[in-house]
């Protein structure tokens, strides 16, 4: 707007604005301000193709969104998975969650954990890429993946997108750095048929469905109860020193809360959970950074749970889960 002081009549301002936008450079600057400040000031031919060809073979021309799901899914359980692939977990019963009497001190099964019954959301796409700094809204730069289900079921969004932002720098005890070079893991999930049946009344709902309906309400009412489970499926193939091996043995598959380091966005059909590892404490960040090479040898099962803290929310149920094969940060694309 060339008249921020407001003294030019609105009709004239509108006419002048439309006139400026009739040229490509004016339109380009307008979009750069609203969409991506990084392209501001670049030469025109760096961002646009002003040729007169018919664009044959260029279906995505003008679409700045990136394709989802560039990490390949491993589908054949009879074959050894290739590195840098993902799969559905062979069974969510590998994850132990709070049992029906976990909080009942008078019951013999107090503090007892049980295998989860099923995953309420199933994975449909995985991406990993590097950035020069963290961006909590990075998932918005991707197209909806194949298998994405529009809308909601019983008031619960049909999709979940989990973004985890990991630091790619050596942390220091003397610094409170919480931003910098990062690699980002984005996993898309869509609602399972079994969860849909319970949400629509075709099947009797279990306690996990009750807590899902509450968590999925706008405003993230159960924010402090978001838990992540990281479980190495092949610990026998790893040797990361006495301390590292001890930590894997002690903490493998143990859930941890991340109420401070994550944020949630809900647009009615997707719940986006953004977990920022940059905000973790020094010890965890340092251990993670020094063991990045180990991830290349690891098969990692990741799951997410809403912690049950009252009787009608127990037993817990796995919200979403995915298996990752030998992810190599070094070959992840720069975004």
């Amino acid at each position: 707007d060339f008249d921020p002081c407001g003294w030019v009549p609105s009709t004239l301002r509108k006419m002048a604005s439309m006139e400026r936008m009739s040229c490509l450079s004016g339109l380009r600057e307008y979009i750069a301000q609203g969409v991506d400040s990084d392209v501001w000031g670049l030469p025109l031919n760096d961002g646009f193709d002003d040729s007169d060809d018919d664009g044959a073979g260029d279906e995505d021309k003008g679409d700045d969104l990136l394709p989802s799901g560039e990490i390949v899914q491993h589908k054949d359980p009879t074959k050894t998975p290739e590195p840098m692939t993902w799969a559905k977990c062979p069974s969510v019963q590998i994850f132990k969650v709070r049992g029906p009497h976990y909080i009942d001190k008078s019951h013999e099964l107090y503090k007892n954990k049980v295998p989860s019954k099923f995953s309420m959301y199933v994975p449909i796409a995985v991406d990993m890429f590097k950035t020069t700094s963290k961006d909590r809204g990075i998932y918005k730069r991707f197209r909806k993946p194949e298998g994405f289900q529009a809308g909601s079921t019983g008031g619960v969004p049909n999709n979940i997108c989990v973004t985890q932002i990991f630091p790619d720098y050596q942390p220091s005890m003397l610094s409170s750095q919480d931003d910098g070079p990062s690699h980002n893991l984005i996993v898309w999930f869509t609602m399972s048929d079994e969860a849909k049946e319970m949400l629509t009344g075709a099947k009797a709902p279990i306690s996990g469905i009750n807590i899902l309906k509450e968590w999925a309400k706008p405003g993230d009412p159960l924010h402090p109860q978001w838990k992540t489970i990281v479980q190495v499926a092949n610990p026998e193939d790893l040797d990361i020193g006495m301390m590292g091996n001890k930590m894997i043995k002690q903490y493998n598959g143990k859930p941890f809360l991340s109420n401070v380091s994550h944020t949630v966005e809900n647009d009615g059909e997707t719940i986006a959970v953004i977990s920022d590892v940059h905000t973790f404490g020094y010890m965890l960040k340092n251990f993670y950074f020094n063991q990045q090479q180990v991830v290349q040898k690891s098969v990692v099962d990741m799951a997410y749970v809403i912690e049950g803290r009252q009787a009608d929310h127990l037993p817990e149920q796995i919200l979403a889960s995915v298996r990752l094969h030998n992810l190599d940060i070094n070959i992840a694309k720069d975004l």
Side-chain angles (χ1 to χ4, degrees), residues 190-236:
T190 197
M191 190 179 292
S192 67
D193 292 338
E194 195 164 357
K196 280 189 171 184
E197 290 176 348
M198 293 182 180
L199 285 166
T200 56
K203 260 188 180 181
I206 59 173
S207 55
I209 294 294
N210 295 332
I211 197 170
L212 169 63
K213 290 166 69 175
E214 190 170 340
W215 173 73
K217 292 177 182 177
D220 188 20
L222 301 181
H223 180 89
Q225 294 168 233
W226 173 264
K227 293 195 297 190
T228 301
I229 300 175
V230 180
Q231 190 162 292
V232 178
N234 62 332
E236 67 282 353

Side-chain angles (χ1 to χ4, degrees), residues 83-197:
M84 287 292 282
T85 59
W86 67 272
K88 295 180 180 179
C89 289
S91 169
V92 293
Q93 291 192 347
I94 62 176
F95 301 108
K96 299 296 188 293
V97 295
R98 293 184 172 189
H101 305 287
Y102 189 86
I103 61 174
D104 185 357
K105 294 182 178 180
S106 63
H107 200 279
E108 61 179 353
L109 296 179
Y110 172 62
K111 291 289 185 179
N112 187 58
K113 290 193 173 185
V114 298
S116 180
K117 291 183 178 178
F118 68 95
S119 188
M120 293 184 281
Y121 288 77
V122 294
I124 53 174
V126 178
D127 286 284
M128 189 171 72
F129 52 89
K130 293 183 284 189
T131 54
T132 56
S133 61
K134 66 183 183 183
D135 180 355
R136 289 179 176 270
I138 202 75
Y139 73 96
K140 297 175 183 176
R141 295 178 63 180
F142 289 81
R143 301 187 193 110
K144 300 294 191 297
E146 184 178 350
F148 182 91
Q149 302 181 65
S152 60
T153 301
V156 177
N158 284 337
N159 309 279
I160 294 176
C161 178
V162 178
T163 301
Q164 293 178 283
I165 309 172
F166 300 92
D168 269 345
Y169 54 83
Q170 178 70 62
S172 169
M173 290 185 69
L174 304 178
S175 170
S176 58
Q177 180 178 359
D178 64 355
D179 199 353
S182 309
H183 69 272
N184 308 260
L185 181 69
I186 295 182
V187 187
W188 291 86
F189 302 90
T190 197
M191 190 179 292
S192 67
D193 292 338
E194 195 164 357
K196 280 189 171 184
E197 290 176 348

